[in-house]
Amino acid sequence: MIEVQGVAGQCIAVLGLGRSGLSAARALRAGGAQVLAWDDNSAARDVALSEGFEVQDLTGEAAFDDIAALIVSPGIPHLYPQPNKIVANALHAGVPVDNDIGLFFRSFASAEWADYDQPPKVIAVTGSNGKSTTSALIAHVLQEVGRDVQLAGNIGRGVLDIDPPGDGGVVVLELSSYQTELARALTPDVAVFTNLTPDHLDRHGGLGGYFAAKRRLFAEGGPDRAVIGVDEAEGLFLAGQLAEGRGDDRVIRVSANRKLLGPGWLVFARKGFLSEYRKGKQAGSIDLRKIKGLPGAHNHQNACAAYAACRTLGLAPKVIERAFHSFAGLPHRSQLIGEKDGVSFVNDSKATNVDSALKALLAFENIRWICGGLAKEGGLSALAPGFAHVAKAYVIGREAAEFSLQLEGLEAEVCTTMEHAVAQAMADATPGETVLLAPAAASFDQYDNFEKRGEDFIRHVKSRL
């Protein structure tokens, strides 16, 4: 546990008692604070009571008279589309509002660091897509080379649940816009921006607010190194804001679709090859086509960002390449389940929207595509560029027939259930093809979440391998 510093004797309120909220409450108590906990969910309050926390309703007008700070869980809005009532009460009372990420950064350093040869470092990763894979890949590379590394934040453990790092330790954090927009302290050593596509726009008041939430990771703390994906206008703008000149190698520009030019520090992927350039000269390269855990252009972008972050720590290109080859991928994200008779089986249940499903379709050739579920707004027309890769679609979900009608130009079979879809796709598949689950839809019509959907796919595939 990371004990929160500077709170001894203070009364601190915690709103939201999920994973991050309870973690913050424990870390605050360990730091000597008096913790008042609240959640609208009675079951969550009962858990807090069972751990000895004082539970107090914070909705009253005088609730914050004796409270020094309010710690808010990520899912609770504090500005758009409208502030949570309790957050609004705290702001009216002049009480600072923070989250567990802010507590982590203000409490990460300790007196023991004076005895370390190498102070611990934090690599923080944000962006719209790929941040989980990028974070996990960085942690995997560091683990493979024997570094003391912990993965936390939006993936792995809660940030305050990790162990205090040892000499030369590295903490890799995946941070969402919900986390970066509110944290009062953001001081990573290395900050990574993967990309930006529209998401959570109601929460941030539009695309500009969404980008501003991501940008805080770079603007508030001033990382020693910034790895910036420049394939979108926002990333290009951010890199330009951070760099003092063309050759400023504190900013590493990353691209997955074009060769980057100039005297700075550049990492890009073209036609499956990763290249690193510094001061106009090539410093490293990797053939990404041979790495099964990183298929497709979107994963090549993740690989470039992870490679750049690892290079800031002094790892050699060949060392990083070897570690890439042993990366199995994250569950439900282009996860290779197995192979049989020349047919590959890939679980990308995390592809819950059109954008992520299209990336999956473009990552493979000759696909037997299992798709469908609870469709999102906007329709499926944006998937069309990937249809040339699809031999046939097998549609699941309660509205499978309606979903299939939107797949114009594709042969589509209405299967409804995962069991039927897997059985039919496996029966039809020939050597060299890939049976791919990339639903392009939410899972809630048939499953509790996308993980359960992916697990069902894996179960039916493995029962037939």
Side-chain angles (χ1 to χ4, degrees):
M1 178 190 296
I2 303 292
E3 296 183 4
V4 179
Q5 300 179 25
V7 296
Q10 295 183 9
C11 182
I12 309 290
V14 175
L15 176 60
L17 301 174
R19 185 187 72 160
S20 66
L22 278 175
S23 172
R26 297 181 192 115
L28 285 162
R29 181 168 61 185
Q34 175 194 353
V35 177
L36 300 181
W38 182 255
D39 193 298
D40 291 339
N41 186 299
S42 60
R45 297 197 298 268
D46 289 342
V47 172
L49 284 168
S50 71
E51 294 195 24
F53 291 108
E54 182 179 349
V55 172
Q56 180 172 308
D57 190 343
L58 301 171
T59 56
E61 290 185 6
F64 286 93
D65 286 354
D66 299 315
I67 291 174
L70 174 66
I71 308 304
V72 179
S73 293
I76 298 173
H78 58 271
L79 186 56
Y80 302 117
Q82 63 182 18
N84 175 277
K85 182 179 179 180
I86 292 173
V87 175
N89 286 348
L91 294 173
H92 281 299
V95 172
V97 178
D98 203 351
N99 62 12
D100 60 330
I101 304 302
L103 296 179
F104 167 82
F105 277 110
R106 68 184 260 189
S107 307
F108 181 56
S110 66
E112 288 78 13
W113 288 23
D115 299 322
Y116 290 171
D117 292 329
Q118 297 182 48
K121 292 183 179 295
V122 176
I123 300 175
V125 181
T126 195
S128 297
N129 299 307
K131 56 185 179 291
S132 295
T133 297
T134 300
S135 301
L137 183 55
I138 294 168
H140 173 79
V141 171
L142 294 174
Q143 187 174 41
E144 288 292 291
V145 301
R147 295 289 293 268
D148 172 18
V149 60
Q150 299 180 78
L151 182 62
N154 232 28
I155 186 174
R157 301 161 71 185
V159 291
L160 294 168
D161 284 335
I162 67 172
D163 302 320
D167 195 344
V170 181
V171 176
V172 182
L173 299 181
E174 179 199 336
L175 299 181
S176 72
S177 58
Y178 289 8
Q179 294 168 310
T180 58
E181 70 171 343
L182 189 59
R184 295 174 67 89
L186 285 168
T187 54
D189 297 279
V190 181
V192 180
F193 177 89
T194 59
N195 51 56
L196 195 86
T197 58
D199 205 358
H200 311 305
L201 300 188
D202 59 337
R203 171 66 180 261
H204 298 294
L207 186 60
Y210 179 49
F211 175 52
K214 301 286 188 185
R215 182 182 174 277
R216 291 190 76 247
L217 182 63
F218 304 85
E220 297 294 319
D224 295 333
R225 302 280 188 184
V227 177
I228 310 292
V230 295
D231 287 337
E232 292 88 29
E234 291 85 359
L236 193 62
F237 176 77
L238 179 60
Q241 281 198 310
L242 296 173
E244 292 295 331
R246 295 185 69 215
D248 186 352
D249 67 0
R250 294 173 302 169
V251 176
I252 308 175
R253 292 171 171 82
V254 167
S255 175
N257 61 26
R258 61 191 172 94
K259 181 178 181 178
L260 298 177
L261 301 172
W265 196 345
L266 313 169
V267 179
F268 56 89
R270 291 183 70 216
K271 299 180 180 179
F273 287 87
L274 179 152
S275 297
E276 175 194 5
Y277 278 76
R278 297 188 72 175
K279 298 179 180 179
K281 296 181 180 180
Q282 188 164 9
S285 65
I286 297 176
D287 183 354
L288 298 173
R289 300 172 303 171
K290 299 179 180 180
I291 300 174
K292 290 188 175 182
L294 296 168
H298 62 302
N299 274 312
H300 293 175
Q301 183 183 56
N302 300 334
C304 287
Y307 174 95
C310 291
R311 289 287 281 143
T312 69
L313 301 182
L315 274 63
K318 291 299 180 184
V319 170
I320 299 171
E321 180 177 8
R322 283 196 296 271
F324 277 7
H325 278 281
S326 59
F327 181 68
L330 288 177
H332 316 298
R333 296 169 175 86
S334 296
Q335 178 188 14
L336 179 63
I337 303 305
E339 298 176 332
K340 182 180 181 181
D341 299 330
V343 178
S344 299
F345 301 89
V346 175
N347 166 30
D348 202 341
S349 184
K350 182 64 168 62
T352 59
N353 57 46
V354 167
D355 182 66
S356 54
L358 177 59
K359 288 181 171 65
L361 294 181
L362 295 175
F364 303 95
E365 301 287 344
N366 304 318
I367 298 168
R368 299 285 170 175
W369 179 30
I370 298 176
C371 58
L374 193 62
K376 297 185 177 181
E377 292 183 7
L380 305 177
S381 59
L383 287 165
F387 287 175
H389 294 217
V390 178
K392 183 178 175 180
Y394 304 81
V395 187
I396 63 173
R398 289 206 300 260
E399 299 176 356
E402 182 178 341
F403 194 98
S404 67
L405 292 176
Q406 298 184 61
L407 304 177
E408 295 183 16
L410 277 185
E411 180 184 358
E413 180 172 342
V414 174
C415 297
T416 307
T417 67
M418 184 70 73
E419 182 178 14
H420 183 188
V422 169
Q424 195 58 51
M426 292 183 76
D428 293 344
T430 59
E433 294 186 333
T434 297
V435 175
L436 170 68
L437 171 65
S443 59
F444 305 123
D445 60 331
Q446 292 181 306
Y447 303 94
D448 290 340
N449 49 51
F450 73 83
E451 291 95 343
K452 294 294 184 184
R453 178 171 58 190
E455 290 164 6
D456 196 28
F457 173 74
I458 293 170
R459 179 169 63 87
H460 288 298
V461 167
K462 288 191 171 181
S463 70
R464 292 171 169 81
L465 290 182

